C-alpha cells in the first residue's frame, strides 16, 4: 500500500510543478486535464500526509514510553495515535480501490410492473414514490420522460432521469427484481399476495463515443397520451426512436416540443446502448462479476418488501431491517450504505 501511495504522491508533486510551467499556463486544455487529475488524487495525498505524520508521532511516543516520568502520558497518547493510524489505514485502503467512472453521473431509471397484474403496477408506483422521496432528501431532481399508468393505479412502466451529485454511486445497486408481499387493496379475504416489479438503472451518458448512424435510427412521431396539459396532448409531439441494429426502442412524450422529445430520446438511446455494452463486458468477465454486489443478472430477485412484518430484505448481502415503513418514505440510506460497504469489502478482498 505504501508503495502505491508514494507513486501517487510523486505524481501529485509532478502535476503541481507542471501547472506552474509556462507551456501549461498558456494551454487551457492542459490546465483543465491536469487540474482534474490533481483533484482525483488530492484526498489520497492529504490522507497519506496525515498517515505519515501520525506514524512519526508513534515512533517518538514509543521512545517516551520508556521514560519513567513520561510513561503514563505517553502511553495514553500512544494508544490514541495507534487507533487513529488504524482508522487512517482503512480510509486509505478504500480510497485506493478502483473508482467506478460512472459514479458521478446522473441516471436514467426505469420501473415496470411485472408479475402480479394490477398489484404489480401499484407496487411499481410505490417504488417510484420511494425513489422520488429519496431524491428529494438528497436534493436531486427528477424528470419523467415516459410513463404508462396502470388501470388500478401505479404504473405499468415509468422512465425518468435523476440529476444531482453522485446519483449513480448511490443507486447503481437498485437494478433487478423487487418483490412485495402484502394484502392488496383489491383483496377481499385478507390474503397476502406476492407481486414483483423490475428496476433498471443506467448512467446517463452524453459524452461517450457511441456511434449512432442516422440510417440505423427510425423516428416515429405521434400524439401524446395521458397527463400532460394543454399543448402536449393536442399535437404530434411524442417521439418513438428505434435503433434498428439492436432493436432498442425509446419513447419520450413529456416535453411539449417534438424537437426536445427527440433530443431527450437520443440521450436515453445512447445510455441504453452504453448499458448494453457494459452488460456484455460484465458477462465476458465471467465469474469475476459474480463477486460484486451490483453486477448480477437483471432478472435476479434482489429485494423483498414484506409489509405484514414491516421488513425489507436485500438478498444479495443477507441484510434485513424492520423499517419498511421508513424506507418507503424515502429513508433508503441504511440499505444503500449496507450495499456500498459490502461492495467495498468484497473489492478489498479481491485486491488482497
Amino acid at each position: 500500500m505504501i508503495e502505491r501511495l508514494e507513486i501517487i504522491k510523486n505524481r501529485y508533486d509532478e502535476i503541481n510543478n507542471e501547472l506552474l510551467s509556462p507551456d501549461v499556463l498558456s494551454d487551457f486544455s492542459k490546465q483543465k486535464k491536469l487540474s482534474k487529475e490533481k483533484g482525483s488524487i488530492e484526498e489520497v495525498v492529504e490522507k497519506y500526509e496525515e498517515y505519515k505524520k501520525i506514524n512519526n508521532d508513534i515512533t517518538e511516543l514509543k521512545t517516551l514510553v520508556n521514560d519513567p516520568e513520561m510513561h503514563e502520558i505517553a502511553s495514553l497518547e500512544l494508544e490514541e495515535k495507534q487507533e487513529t493510524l488504524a482508522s487512517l489505514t482503512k480510509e486509505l485502503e478504500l480510497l485506493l480501490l478502483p473508482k467506478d467512472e460512472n459514479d458521478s453521473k446522473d441516471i436514467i431509471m426505469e420501473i415496470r410492473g411485472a408479475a402480479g397484474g394490477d398489484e404489480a403496477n401499484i407496487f411499481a408506483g410505490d417504488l417510484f414514490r420511494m425513489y422520488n422521496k429519496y431524491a428529494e432528501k438528497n436534493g436531486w431532481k427528477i424528470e419523467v420522460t415516459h410513463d404508462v399508468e396502470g388501470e388500478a393505479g401505479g404504473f405499468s412502466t415509468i422512465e425518468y432521469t435523476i440529476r444531482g451529485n453522485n446519483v449513480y454511486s448511490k443507486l447503481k445497486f437498485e437494478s433487478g427484481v423487487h418483490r412485495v408481499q402484502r394484502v392488496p387493496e383489491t383483496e377481499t379475504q385478507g390474503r397476502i399476495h406476492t407481486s414483483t416489479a423490475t428496476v433498471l438503472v443506467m448512467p446517463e451518458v452524453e459524452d461517450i463515443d457511441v456511434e449512432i448512424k442516422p440510417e440505423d435510427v427510425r423516428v416515429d412521431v405521434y400524439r401524446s397520451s395521458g397527463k400532460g396539459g394543454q399543448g402536449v396532448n393536442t399535437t404530434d409531439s411524442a417521439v418513438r426512436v428505434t435503433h434498428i441494429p439492436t432493436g432498442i426502442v425509446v419513447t419520450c412524450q413529456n416535453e411539449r416540443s417534438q424537437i426536445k422529445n427527440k433530443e431527450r430520446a437520443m440521450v436515453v438511446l445512447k445510455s441504453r446502448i452504453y448499458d448494453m455494452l457494459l452488460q456484455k463486458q460484465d458477462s465476458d468477465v465471467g465469474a469475476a462479476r459474480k463477486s460484486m454486489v451490483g453486477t448480477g443478472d437483471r432478472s435476479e430477485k434482489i429485494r423483498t418488501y414484506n409489509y405484514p412484518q414491516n421488513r425489507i430484505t436485500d438478498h444479495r448481502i443477507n441484510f434485513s431491517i424492520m423499517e419498511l415503513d421508513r424506507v418507503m418514505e424515502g429513508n433508503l440510506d441504511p440499505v444503500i450504505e449496507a450495499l456500498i460497504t459490502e461492495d467495498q469489502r468484497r473489492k478489498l478482498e479481491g485486491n488482497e
Side-chain angles (χ1 to χ4, degrees):
M1 184 181 81
I2 300 301
E3 288 180 6
R4 290 175 66 191
L5 289 168
E6 279 295 326
I7 291 169
I8 292 170
K9 172 67 168 61
N10 291 337
R11 177 56 186 155
Y12 184 80
D13 293 338
E14 284 177 8
I15 293 171
N16 279 330
N17 290 330
E18 286 183 58
L19 285 169
L20 295 173
S21 71
D23 288 345
V24 174
L25 287 171
S26 60
D27 189 330
F28 178 73
S29 62
K30 279 186 180 179
Q31 280 187 57
K32 187 178 178 181
K33 186 177 179 181
L34 286 169
S35 296
K36 185 177 180 181
E37 185 183 353
K38 178 184 173 182
S40 69
I41 61 176
E42 197 156 32
E43 186 180 1
V44 179
V45 173
E46 288 174 356
K47 289 289 180 187
Y48 181 42
E49 292 294 341
E50 190 179 346
Y51 174 91
K52 288 195 292 185
K53 183 181 181 305
I54 296 293
N55 229 345
N56 290 334
D57 291 345
I58 287 172
T59 302
E60 293 176 8
L61 286 166
K62 282 181 177 178
T63 304
L64 290 174
V65 166
N66 297 322
D67 185 332
E69 293 183 6
M70 299 294 294
H71 175 76
E72 188 173 349
I73 296 174
S75 295
L76 288 171
E77 194 170 343
L78 177 61
E79 189 177 341
E80 289 178 6
K81 295 287 185 182
Q82 286 173 331
E83 288 177 1
T84 303
L85 187 70
S87 177
L88 278 171
T89 301
K90 288 181 180 178
E91 286 184 56
L92 284 166
E93 285 175 345
L94 292 177
L95 286 169
L96 287 173
L97 286 175
K99 297 289 188 295
D100 187 334
E101 62 183 14
N102 293 316
D103 275 352
S104 62
K105 287 184 168 61
D106 299 329
I107 68 165
I108 294 165
M109 182 178 269
E110 176 189 276
I111 304 174
R112 290 178 178 269
D118 288 340
E119 171 64 5
N121 293 341
I122 292 169
F123 179 49
D126 293 339
L127 289 176
F128 172 66
R129 179 176 175 274
M130 177 185 75
Y131 290 123
N132 201 347
K133 283 186 170 289
Y134 184 66
E136 287 177 5
K137 290 178 187 296
N138 283 279
W140 301 338
K141 292 184 178 179
I142 281 187
E143 178 188 345
V144 176
T145 53
H146 177 65
D147 64 274
V148 179
E149 295 182 2
E151 289 184 9
F155 301 95
S156 63
T157 181
I158 182 166
E159 188 175 277
Y160 52 96
T161 303
I162 305 181
R163 293 191 173 92
N165 292 326
N166 299 313
V167 180
Y168 186 74
S169 70
K170 292 288 187 74
L171 295 178
K172 63 184 176 182
F173 300 127
E174 294 303 297
S175 288
V177 177
H178 295 238
R179 180 176 70 170
V180 63
Q181 295 173 327
R182 64 185 177 189
V183 179
E185 293 179 10
T186 54
E187 170 60 51
T188 57
Q189 298 181 27
R191 292 176 299 184
I192 294 173
H193 287 229
T194 298
S195 306
T196 60
T198 60
V199 175
L200 173 64
V201 176
M202 299 175 290
E204 184 182 58
V205 289
E206 296 184 60
D207 55 348
I208 60 165
D209 187 19
V210 173
E211 184 182 5
I212 301 178
K213 299 176 181 177
E215 61 268 25
D216 288 342
V217 175
R218 185 176 73 244
V219 179
D220 300 307
V221 295
Y222 59 98
R223 190 157 297 178
S224 298
S225 60
K227 298 174 183 177
Q230 186 177 1
V232 174
N233 300 327
T234 57
T235 59
D236 291 337
S237 60
V239 172
R240 183 188 299 110
V241 175
T242 303
H243 187 242
I244 297 166
T246 61
I248 294 172
V249 179
V250 175
T251 303
C252 187
Q253 64 179 37
N254 285 53
E255 296 286 350
R256 292 180 178 231
S257 160
Q258 183 187 123
I259 294 173
K260 286 185 178 179
N261 277 328
K262 183 182 177 183
E263 288 174 354
R264 184 71 202 132
M266 291 303 293
V267 171
V268 175
L269 176 61
K270 185 175 281 192
S271 297
R272 283 188 177 277
I273 293 173
Y274 178 67
D275 182 67
M276 183 187 70
L277 294 173
L278 283 181
Q279 291 299 306
K280 184 179 184 304
Q281 185 181 55
D282 282 343
S283 64
D284 289 344
V285 171
R289 71 194 287 264
K290 295 178 183 177
S291 67
M292 299 303 174
V293 170
T295 53
D297 191 278
R298 288 291 162 81
S299 61
E300 176 189 7
K301 181 186 71 180
I302 65 167
R303 195 174 295 155
T304 295
Y305 302 71
N306 187 304
Y307 276 72
Q309 296 179 20
N310 196 37
R311 184 182 71 234
I312 183 166
T313 300
D314 196 288
H315 304 290
R316 294 164 294 180
I317 59 174
N318 296 318
F319 175 82
S320 293
I321 52 171
M322 314 299 282
E323 299 179 9
L324 177 57
D325 52 346
R326 298 187 71 249
V327 169
M328 296 309 291
E329 289 300 315
N331 295 298
L332 261 170
D333 278 328
V335 181
I336 287 171
E337 286 170 8
L339 285 162
I340 291 172
T341 299
E342 178 63 11
D343 186 58
Q344 290 173 338
R345 185 188 70 79
R346 294 183 189 185
K347 283 178 180 175
L348 282 170
E349 287 181 353
N351 283 349
E352 289 169 0

